[in-house]
Amino acid sequence: MLRLDDLTVFVRTADRGSLSAAARELEISPALASAAVKRLEGELKLRLFVRTTRSLRLTEEGVTYLRHAREALRLLQEGHDALKQGQEALGGTLKISMPSDLGRNMVVGWLDEFQALYPKVSFQLTISDRVSDMYRQPVDIAIRYGVQEDSSLIAFPLAPENRRVLVASPEYIKQHGKLSALEDLSRHNCLRFMLDDVIHDRWSFYRDAEAEPEIIHVNGNRSVDDADVVRRWAVAGLGIAYKSRLDLSADIRAGRLQVLLPDVLGERTALNMLCMHRSQVTPTVLQLRDFLRAQCEKA
């Protein structure tokens, strides 16, 4: 495999007409410079220089290859410069809305990491389970779960395969037992999310990806309009929660929550990053999209 350092030594040697002069400029030993040229010739299976005791000149093949080597190094340098300038150009203030649980417990930490990489970027965050009206509120980006009904918005998938899962704490399971079937939910305390005074008490499940949803009506002694509180109740052993796996990933890994009926597919709840129009899709937004997508994949 061709090495960038070997190409650099070759071009510098051709320019200076001397291995020792090239070595001095590159701050390496003449022996290393000579080894680099020999390694390159071995990879190409041809001679690049004719060497005598007093001179070093390019072969005909060397003259031809030199043009390509110069162009390759030039393009690589241009790419490096463009990337560096792009990173330095990342900045400005992003106004972002996001759901409560994911926002508080994951996205805020991810944004801290992003800001450490790109310190010229500033954030104004809105953390709420109420869906922000991007046409009326001063929001550049909305991070949302679920299918987006407004086709005029530009959607970037962050976690397209994310689904809801049933979870409970080890303490709750020890006291009340595991579920053996979806029908068992009727005898358990289900922790329900509420939005606009409407309680989400009909939970949808799928026997397989192509099946029609099976809707289970659930009951419980607690409901709340903050999804983070539902998660906290579940961790405290107060009942069974049905939430986005992404929200629960840290608790599941740590053993604070266990997935119930893992063979049953929960409702799909894809996570997307939304912008209103193309003018908002700046290099900073695209970099943030890629960063958040990578974080979701690791979660």
Side-chain angles (χ1 to χ4, degrees), residues 23-290:
R24 283 194 300 272
E25 285 193 8
L26 296 171
E27 298 182 344
I28 60 175
S29 69
L32 284 177
S34 178
V37 172
K38 288 180 181 178
R39 189 164 48 241
L40 182 58
E41 288 179 327
E43 287 286 341
L44 297 173
K45 294 181 174 55
L46 55 83
R47 293 185 65 188
L48 297 171
F49 292 104
V50 175
R51 301 168 180 82
T52 68
T53 55
R54 295 188 177 184
S55 67
L56 185 72
R57 63 180 177 82
L58 288 166
T59 63
E60 185 176 345
E61 294 86 352
V63 171
T64 300
Y65 189 69
L66 179 62
R67 293 197 301 271
H68 297 288
R70 283 193 203 282
E71 182 65 10
L73 292 174
R74 183 187 69 79
L75 290 173
L76 285 170
Q77 186 62 49
E78 279 187 5
H80 177 271
D81 293 344
L83 181 62
K84 185 176 180 181
Q85 290 171 6
Q87 289 178 337
E88 291 175 350
L90 295 183
T93 299
L94 294 178
K95 299 175 182 179
I96 309 174
S97 72
M98 64 192 74
S100 66
D101 198 352
L102 184 74
R104 292 190 188 109
N105 299 303
M106 301 188 80
V107 176
V108 167
W110 295 343
L111 293 180
D112 290 342
E113 295 178 36
F114 186 84
Q115 202 167 44
L117 293 172
Y118 308 105
K120 294 182 181 179
V121 178
S122 299
F123 299 115
Q124 292 181 13
L125 307 182
T126 300
I127 299 178
S128 172
D129 286 315
R130 296 186 180 277
V131 177
S132 59
D133 185 339
M134 298 184 70
Y135 296 97
R136 296 185 179 182
Q137 292 178 271
V139 173
D140 301 314
I141 296 170
I143 297 173
R144 290 182 186 167
Y145 280 121
V147 177
Q148 302 309 312
E149 297 179 356
D150 188 345
S151 60
S152 68
L153 296 176
I154 300 167
F156 297 111
L158 299 180
E161 300 304 319
N162 185 56
R163 289 181 180 269
R164 298 184 190 276
V165 289
L166 286 167
V167 293
S169 71
E171 293 77 14
Y172 182 88
I173 294 171
K174 183 178 180 180
Q175 184 176 355
H176 299 279
K178 287 187 175 182
L179 299 178
S180 59
L182 288 173
E183 291 72 21
D184 293 345
L185 283 169
S186 62
R187 60 180 180 83
H188 283 271
N189 191 45
C190 294
L191 307 169
R192 298 164 301 165
F193 176 66
M194 179 175 63
L195 187 62
D196 295 329
D197 296 325
V198 177
I199 297 176
H200 180 56
D201 59 1
R202 294 180 180 272
W203 295 356
S204 298
F205 302 91
Y206 301 81
R207 299 294 177 178
D208 59 65
E210 304 300 324
E212 290 295 316
E214 184 171 345
I215 299 174
I216 306 295
H217 185 270
V218 298
N219 292 288
N221 62 10
R222 291 167 183 255
S223 59
V224 66
D225 65 353
D226 188 320
D228 186 34
V229 175
V230 172
R231 183 189 60 83
R232 290 172 185 267
W233 282 343
V235 170
L238 299 174
I240 293 176
Y242 184 47
K243 283 177 53 59
S244 157
R245 189 181 190 104
L246 196 56
D247 288 350
L248 306 170
S249 57
D251 294 314
I252 293 170
R253 282 198 306 270
R256 293 185 292 268
L257 293 172
Q258 295 180 12
V259 176
L260 307 173
L261 300 178
D263 294 333
V264 176
L265 292 177
E267 187 178 7
R268 185 176 238 166
T269 176
L271 184 68
N272 297 290
M273 188 175 90
L274 306 176
C275 296
M276 280 185 57
H277 43 74
R278 287 288 172 191
S279 64
Q280 291 177 306
V281 185
T282 64
T284 303
V285 168
L286 292 175
Q287 191 71 20
L288 179 62
R289 173 204 62 185
D290 294 343

